[in-house]
Amino acid sequence: MTTKSGATMSADNKKQNPATITAQALGWVEETTRSVTPPIYPSTTFERNTDLSYHDGRCYTRTDNPTYDQACAVLDALEGGAQTRLFASGMAAAVALLHALSPGDHVVAPKVMYWALRSFMLDSGVRAGLTFDFVDNGDTAQWVKHIQPGKTRMVWLETPANPDWQITDIAAVADAAHKAGAIVAVDNTVATPLLTRPIELGADIVMHSATKYLNGHSDVLAGTLTTANKDSEFWQRVCKQHAGGGGVLGVFEAWLLLRGMRTLSIRVERASANAMAIARHFENHPEIAQVQYPGLESHIGHDIAKRQMTGGFGGMMSIRVKGGGKRAVDFHNQCKLFKRATSLGGVESLIEHRSSVEGPTSPVPDDLLRLSVGIEDAHDLIHDIETALDLSK
């Protein structure tokens, strides 16, 4: 099969395992040189034919650059989607959905979610005439209660939710939303399509901060949206926002994103295994008040997570340290392997005192530390935490 950008690809990729889809990047081979590494097309514009048509339909790089094609196709295959768009950041992708709404539209979202997006909703979203209700992530009855037929236009889910990793029952909430005529969008950044496929559970659109696990190397800022129905009226508005708003991904960043996705499977598998090992080691530790990780049977959302996550529970977790906020900060200052930095999903392990990042209105307890577990040796990471706990007493 030949793609729009002139590459050949395997015709049976939908039957392949995600590990094969990512490692092979769908097996595309550039026709001119037979290169297995995709080329970068830096051109911002494309020549017209003498009849004023375009050679392959491409006009201008903002939406038509061929460097985008393979990354979008890989995400379509991973998510089971019909079309993907790449954005300059995860925030740009999420905001494009909000901009596709109309004044007066009602949105239901989680109380605990990515803080920057929640802040945008309550500031720019409200000023744009949108209304919001925020509910507990794991309480399906609360979701159903706040979804209003004829009024609610979008239901925004984030599961596992940052930073307490609560789990939302995507299928149950999607069913209630669709009965009310609402669109369901899911932030799948933490789970990745390797562990959760929201479209199969009823979601209409899946969003990623591709800066995180999809790229996986802490060197690209990117966002993605993947739709289940590319012909829907709402998705067409999103595409217009994508093209007209200008928040598109650079071609070099798109190339790096695809390179990162080729190791997605092995990175997510290793990070998930490391996080589970750390969670089990510290679950009943005398210096830890609570470990928040959906893979633990003690986690309030474990049963739902076990049902809708396959292959692991991800590399994100939080720990609440005994001794309060000061002890938590002292502890995280003593970590050596875990770097004190924002973001998540990279190959390196990170630790963050989340409440100080979010500020005085944050709902996050000041004794909570968010851990993005990387792909290092699990025993070394456990030793790093143990040593930091001892030094912070």
Side-chain angles (χ1 to χ4, degrees):
M1 182 184 302
T2 302
T3 68
K4 183 178 179 182
S5 57
T8 56
M9 62 179 291
S10 171
D12 62 350
N13 63 81
K14 290 187 177 180
K15 300 177 182 178
Q16 294 172 353
N17 186 282
T20 303
I21 291 172
T22 52
Q24 291 269 336
L26 295 174
W28 289 25
V29 176
E30 195 272 318
E31 278 292 305
T32 302
T33 65
R34 305 304 295 166
S35 170
V36 298
T37 299
I40 301 175
Y41 298 88
S43 180
T44 59
T45 191
F46 306 91
E47 185 182 31
R48 287 189 180 195
N49 296 320
T50 55
D51 64 358
L52 302 185
S53 65
Y54 288 96
H55 172 65
D56 62 357
R58 300 185 194 276
C59 170
Y60 189 66
T61 195
R62 194 161 59 230
T63 56
D64 293 334
N65 194 288
T67 313
Y68 300 150
D69 294 355
Q70 194 167 359
C72 289
V74 170
L75 277 168
D76 287 342
L78 290 176
E79 291 286 7
Q83 191 172 66
T84 293
R85 289 285 184 263
L86 306 181
F87 291 79
S89 68
M91 278 295 293
V95 167
L97 293 177
L98 297 176
H99 280 315
L101 297 172
S102 300
D105 283 348
H106 177 242
V107 179
V108 185
K111 287 181 179 178
V112 178
M113 59 181 287
Y114 178 51
W115 188 248
L117 181 56
R118 188 177 190 272
S119 298
F120 183 92
M121 289 177 173
L122 292 172
D123 181 6
S124 298
V126 170
R127 287 191 285 107
L130 304 178
T131 62
F132 298 88
D133 277 327
F134 295 92
V135 303
D136 291 332
N137 278 288
D139 191 337
T140 302
Q142 284 293 309
W143 285 99
V144 174
K145 176 183 176 181
H146 285 86
I147 295 171
Q148 304 173 43
K151 181 180 179 183
T152 303
R153 180 59 170 149
M154 178 184 290
V155 175
W156 177 269
L157 304 181
E158 180 184 320
T159 180
N162 185 5
D164 62 3
W165 318 116
Q166 290 291 338
I167 304 295
T168 306
D169 189 331
I170 297 173
V173 176
D175 180 64
H178 290 154
K179 287 178 179 177
I183 292 164
V184 177
V186 178
D187 182 344
N188 201 30
T189 298
V190 170
T192 80
L194 272 66
L195 305 182
T196 303
R197 286 164 60 93
I199 288 175
E200 291 182 353
L201 298 171
D204 300 292
I205 297 174
V206 178
M207 172 264 180
H208 286 275
S209 174
T211 310
K212 313 305 193 296
Y213 282 102
L214 293 186
N215 173 60
H217 291 80
S218 302
D219 57 8
V220 170
L221 189 67
T224 71
L225 292 175
T226 301
T227 184
N229 180 7
K230 66 179 180 180
D231 297 319
S232 74
E233 179 187 356
F234 184 78
W235 180 252
Q236 291 306 308
R237 290 206 300 273
V238 172
C239 290
K240 287 182 180 179
Q241 174 61 34
H242 176 248
V248 299
L249 194 60
V251 294
F252 183 61
E253 287 77 11
W255 187 87
L256 285 174
L257 172 60
L258 180 63
R259 187 181 69 169
M261 283 196 290
R262 296 182 75 161
T263 61
L264 178 65
S265 178
I266 194 167
R267 287 188 287 101
V268 169
E269 180 180 354
R270 178 63 174 263
S272 296
N274 281 353
M276 179 64 83
I278 293 170
R280 291 209 181 281
H281 181 90
F282 290 100
E283 184 177 15
N284 298 306
H285 194 283
E287 301 296 326
I288 300 295
Q290 185 185 28
V291 176
Q292 298 175 334
Y293 183 67
L296 294 176
E297 290 80 0
S298 59
H299 190 278
I300 191 171
H302 175 71
D303 289 341
I304 299 173
K306 188 167 59 174
R307 186 167 70 246
Q308 71 184 23
M309 299 181 77
T310 58
F313 298 93
M316 297 304 301
M317 59 187 296
S318 293
I319 57 175
R320 299 185 65 179
V321 181
K322 289 182 179 179
K326 184 180 184 305
R327 169 83 188 283
V329 172
D330 289 345
F331 157 71
H332 107 306
N333 286 342
Q334 297 294 339
C335 289
K336 302 302 181 186
L337 290 181
F338 282 87
K339 299 298 186 288
R340 299 182 301 276
T342 296
S343 199
L344 56 94
V347 293
E348 66 287 318
S349 292
L350 305 178
I351 188 168
E352 182 176 57
H353 185 246
R354 192 66 200 165
S355 67
S356 64
V357 172
E358 295 184 1
T361 60
S362 172
V364 178
D366 66 356
D367 62 357
L368 181 144
L369 294 163
R370 188 183 78 177
L371 277 61
S372 173
V373 180
I375 65 171
E376 304 93 341
D377 180 81
H379 295 94
D380 289 340
L381 294 174
I382 289 170
H383 178 72
D384 191 43
I385 297 173
E386 287 278 16
T387 302
L389 285 171
D390 287 342
L391 293 173
S392 64
K393 286 182 180 179

